[in-house]
Amino acid sequence: YSSSFYIFMVVAVLPFLAKERLICRKEVLNGCYHPITHHFAVSVGSIPNVVILSFIITLILVGMVKLHNPVQFFLILLLALWNAETYAILLSTCVTNYILGIIILAGIFGLAMPLEGFMLVPSMFPSYLRWLYLVPFHTYVFRSFMYNEFAGTSFGEMVLKSYEIEGTNIKQDMVVLLCYSLVIHCVSVAVLMFSSRGRTKKQKDP
């Protein structure tokens, strides 16, 4: 639930990001600031929102269901929402219509749900599609949450083995999530630079 629902709800930020992106395009064409400056500002500005949201969700869930290791749960959730936010930022650079962006982002997150290891464990994938299990960041979030909650007890170990994630290394997966977000940010900057350069060139042409 935590690794899918809260990530999926990040699509709600796309209308605001799309509006900001339209302002960015105008200001870049006017020479007010560089596209990278705007991307950096949007990325850093989203951090407090992600931290506050992750903290509130952690407080509620830990109080309700007595989750194990709440600090680690908070950090995993923080990286999960940060990656989802990064995807939203990337989509806002690729599409001008936020409704189209919501549809695409919802489709990406929806496709990731059956690939993350909850509905289909890794051994259930055809051999030629097994690599898809490692593609969505949801995979690392899901198995980190599961290992954080169930590791250390006999029943928990049985649960982890049934999902084939008994060998999960949470710290390693958190590093993967951090690198995942950085790669998406680099792609976003590249797309933004390419689109801004094209518009600037068109404006200069007589």
Side-chain angles (χ1 to χ4, degrees):
Y1 179 81
S2 300
S3 65
S4 298
F5 176 75
Y6 296 118
I7 290 174
F8 193 85
M9 290 305 296
V10 170
V11 300
V13 306
L14 265 173
F16 305 99
L17 290 174
K19 186 176 181 180
E20 285 289 333
R21 197 63 69 188
L22 290 175
I23 297 173
C24 168
R25 287 166 183 160
K26 293 178 182 178
E27 297 299 329
V28 168
L29 289 175
N30 290 331
C32 297
Y33 50 72
H34 198 274
I36 295 181
T37 306
H38 178 267
H39 180 83
F40 181 79
V42 170
S43 302
V44 173
S46 66
I47 293 176
N49 299 329
V50 173
V51 171
I52 293 171
L53 184 58
S54 301
F55 182 72
I56 293 173
I57 293 172
T58 302
L59 282 181
I60 294 173
L61 290 182
V62 169
M64 288 177 62
V65 296
K66 311 300 180 184
L67 294 174
H68 297 156
N69 200 343
V71 174
Q72 193 155 261
F73 177 88
F74 166 76
L75 293 175
I76 297 169
L77 182 61
L78 177 66
L79 287 171
L81 295 181
W82 175 243
N83 273 274
E85 185 92 7
T86 305
Y87 260 103
I89 292 173
L90 173 60
L91 260 294
S92 71
T93 65
C94 297
V95 298
T96 55
N97 188 325
Y98 73 86
I99 296 178
L100 180 60
I102 290 175
I103 294 172
I104 295 174
L105 190 59
I108 293 173
F109 289 166
L111 181 62
M113 289 180 187
L115 299 177
E116 68 184 7
F118 176 68
M119 300 179 184
L120 297 172
V121 298
S123 62
M124 296 175 66
F125 285 79
S127 58
Y128 59 91
L129 292 178
R130 197 158 294 171
W131 57 273
L132 288 174
Y133 171 73
L134 299 174
V135 172
F137 71 89
H138 300 63
T139 297
Y140 308 97
V141 175
F142 169 71
R143 67 188 190 187
S144 294
F145 275 144
M146 291 287 287
Y147 197 85
N148 182 63
E149 185 62 25
F150 291 106
T153 64
S154 57
F155 172 75
E157 292 297 332
M158 291 175 59
V159 173
L160 294 175
K161 287 181 181 178
S162 67
Y163 284 102
E164 301 177 7
I165 52 175
E166 66 275 12
T168 299
N169 186 322
I170 293 181
K171 292 182 180 179
Q172 181 177 323
D173 281 357
M174 291 173 70
V175 171
V176 171
L177 288 170
L178 181 61
C179 295
Y180 203 111
S181 65
L182 293 177
V183 170
I184 300 299
H185 274 298
C186 291
V187 174
S188 299
V189 169
V191 172
L192 189 59
M193 288 289 296
F194 179 78
S195 59
S196 299
R197 188 171 299 175
R199 288 188 180 89
T200 304
K201 185 178 179 180
K202 286 182 181 179
Q203 190 185 46
K204 290 181 179 179
D205 289 339

